[in-house]
Structure formats: C-alpha cells, structure tokens
Amino acid sequence: MEQISNDYLTLRTSSLGAELQSIQDSTGKEYLWQADAQYWNRHSPVLFPLVGGLWQDTFRVDGKEYHSKRHGFARDTDFKILRKEPHRIVYGMHDTEDTWQKYPFHFALSISYKLEKNRIHVIWHVQNTDVREIHFQIGGHPAFNLPDVKAGDPVHGYLKLDADSLERSILTPEGNRLPDFLPVETDEGILEFTEETFKDDALIFDRCQLHEVQLLNRQGAPVISVRFNSPAVGIWSPYGKHAPFLCIEPWYGVADAVGYDGELKDRYLMNHLLPGASFMSEYVVTIGV
C-alpha cells in the first residue's frame, strides 16, 4: 500500500490494479468504500481495455475471436510504480504474453493520482506501442461511502446532476444494452435515489449528457463531486444488499448492444490510436466544496 497526502487529503493506493483504496480528509474521515466483500469487494477499479460486458463474452479482431469478462483485465493486473512524489503517484503496466491471449495489441497504460488541495486528479494515459492501430475502452469505477447511511440501513440519497433532462440506457439482466432509452426525472437536476433506483442495474448516461455528478448530504451540501469529460457515466449501487455506497463511474466506453457480433474496432464508443499515438484524460474528485 502506498500513500500520498497534502494538508487536505490522504490517499492510499495499491499496485494491484493501480487501485485507489482510501480517501481520508484531515480529520481521518473515510470517503471511499472499503471493499467489504459482503457487499462488493473492490474500492475503485480501473476498467481497461473494456468497459461493461461483451455480447456472449466475445469480441473479434480481424475475424479471430477472443473472450473476456466485463470490464477487462487491468483491475486484476499488478502495476509497477513509475514515479512517486509527496502529492502524486504514477503506476504503469504494458502488454505481456498473457495479455496477448486476451487482447492482441501492444500498449502501455499508466494511471496517475495527483492531489491538488481537496481535489484528486485521476489521470489515464494509453500509448500505442504496436505497429498497427489499436482499439480500447477505459473507465473508472470509484465507490463512495453514502453520507448519513450505515450498513444495513435503507439506501437513500440525493445527487446533483449538471443536466435536468436525461435518458438512461436500458440493460438486460446480463448487462447488455437494448436499443431504447428511458427518461430519468430530476427536480432541476436533483435526483433522489433509493435501492429501487438500481433494480435494473446501473443508471448509464451516454451521449455526453453529463459532466459532473455531486453526492449530497441530508442538508443538500455536496460531500463528493466527480467531474469528467468522458462521453458516458455509470451510477450504481448493488441492488438488494442495502450497500451503503454509490459508484460514480466516468467511462470512455459502454457495454455491447444485444446481439453485437461485429469487430472490436466497430463497437460503440471505442477509442482508436494509430502507431505511436497516445490518449490522455482525467476525472477529478472533489471532497467537500
């Protein structure tokens, strides 16, 4: 476990999955879910080279089939520390013989965490080290403790969204997208949620509908804000478990549509890099106001 800190926040991270594992303020209050396996055994996994599930767990590159479970393999891969400073840590991994069996491209992936006052910059950098174009998705899956909710309590809370007219994707029980959308009602951007909100899995908003999600306390003040430029975001809490956390997940990619049997490169919301090119993006978590 590695640690970086400033006068406002202390972060702890793990080389396994380059995963953020703790966010504490100067009083020691914990904001990140602590991976109680009774509910969900992760904190904030990095999703790469896939976000969401494939149709029948299968994708194709040049007609050859490969198989993968949802969200890819980075979250279960050991990263190396590339750089560490008092307020910043950078993890990296690259392709290996093992990853070629799952994803037939050469690449380098780095994940950075940088503190700036009460803000956490989570930075993704993907480099194409192949001699051909590569195709990938990437996303975050941070889980935040719900304010005013304890383990076993009914799940309940409020979100402040930076849009008030929204449509969510409809998912099958296996997590694949159906072609239609459902409207999501808010009160001038305020979305009240309970456990029933997630009866049909995550709320997934694509098409750049949102760029900021705030988790509010009972007084209506923001406890956590997640700001992002990604075209999609997922909001999720496990249904039927009374789990006292909520995930706010910026995504460059989403799950396959039902029945998709095309090439990896032609999947919806894929990212493409020519040889030698790189992709960089970030999302920013703000603790408090």
Side-chain angles (χ1 to χ4, degrees):
M1 189 84 69
E2 300 293 329
Q3 178 175 305
I4 60 173
S5 62
N6 62 11
D7 291 339
Y8 299 83
L9 299 172
T10 296
L11 305 186
R12 293 180 177 86
T13 60
S14 170
S15 293
L16 180 60
E19 187 179 15
L20 180 61
Q21 297 203 331
S22 174
I23 303 171
Q24 292 185 353
D25 66 15
S26 58
T27 70
K29 181 179 179 179
E30 181 63 66
Y31 290 83
L32 199 67
W33 172 245
Q34 288 304 290
D36 184 341
Q38 177 182 352
Y39 303 99
W40 189 58
N41 64 348
R42 298 181 188 267
H43 306 80
S44 180
V46 176
L47 316 182
F48 177 89
L50 301 168
V51 172
L54 300 162
W55 177 246
Q56 297 181 340
D57 295 336
T58 302
F59 69 89
R60 284 150 292 275
V61 176
D62 298 330
K64 183 177 178 180
E65 289 190 347
Y66 297 84
H67 303 284
S68 175
K69 298 297 184 182
R70 69 172 61 192
H71 294 329
F73 53 76
R75 59 185 180 166
D76 297 314
T77 299
D78 286 316
F79 283 66
K80 293 183 178 180
I81 297 174
L82 303 181
R83 186 171 183 178
K84 185 180 180 186
E85 302 166 350
H87 304 155
R88 177 175 176 239
I89 188 166
V90 183
Y91 290 96
M93 67 161 290
H94 56 77
D95 59 280
T96 64
E97 289 188 9
D98 180 58
T99 67
W100 298 336
Q101 308 306 311
K102 308 170 186 176
Y103 176 70
F105 297 104
H106 298 283
F107 68 92
L109 169 65
S110 67
I111 310 296
S112 304
Y113 299 100
K114 183 176 72 171
L115 285 172
E116 181 189 17
K117 295 185 178 179
N118 63 330
R119 292 184 291 276
I120 304 156
H121 296 260
V122 183
I123 303 163
W124 303 317
H125 183 198
V126 182
Q127 184 178 4
N128 181 354
T129 58
D130 213 316
V131 295
R132 58 176 175 164
E133 187 176 45
I134 70 170
H135 318 285
F136 68 94
Q137 297 175 326
I138 193 166
H141 203 312
F144 302 104
N145 293 326
L146 285 174
D148 314 311
V149 176
K150 297 178 182 179
D153 288 350
V155 171
H156 182 259
Y158 296 88
L159 298 172
K160 170 66 173 160
L161 311 177
D162 66 337
D164 55 13
S165 179
L166 297 162
E167 291 183 320
R168 62 175 289 190
S169 294
I170 304 173
L171 300 177
T172 68
E174 295 75 29
N176 294 110
R177 293 180 297 111
L178 293 168
D180 298 321
F181 296 87
L182 285 176
V184 174
E185 300 294 332
T186 72
D187 182 4
E188 297 183 346
I190 301 296
L191 176 64
E192 182 178 6
F193 64 87
T194 66
E195 189 141 345
E196 288 300 309
T197 304
F198 308 103
K199 183 177 181 179
D200 298 318
D201 210 331
L203 304 182
I204 297 175
F205 304 101
D206 63 353
R207 298 172 294 162
C208 298
Q209 294 181 73
L210 289 175
H211 290 294
E212 185 172 21
V213 178
Q214 295 181 339
L215 179 60
L216 310 179
N217 62 18
R218 287 177 181 168
Q219 290 72 44
V223 176
I224 294 162
S225 169
V226 182
R227 187 160 186 83
F228 45 89
N229 292 317
S230 57
V233 62
I235 301 172
W236 174 77
S237 187
Y239 180 69
K241 292 189 175 183
H242 298 303
F245 70 86
L246 183 82
C247 294
I248 303 172
E249 312 170 39
W251 290 345
Y252 284 87
V254 292
D256 270 349
V258 169
Y260 182 77
D261 60 1
E263 288 274 314
L264 179 72
K265 66 182 178 64
D266 297 321
R267 295 178 71 235
Y268 179 51
L269 290 185
M270 291 301 292
N271 306 280
H272 313 281
L273 287 176
L274 293 172
S278 62
F279 164 98
M280 182 175 286
S281 187
E282 71 170 5
Y283 67 91
V284 180
V285 178
T286 301
I287 302 301
V289 294

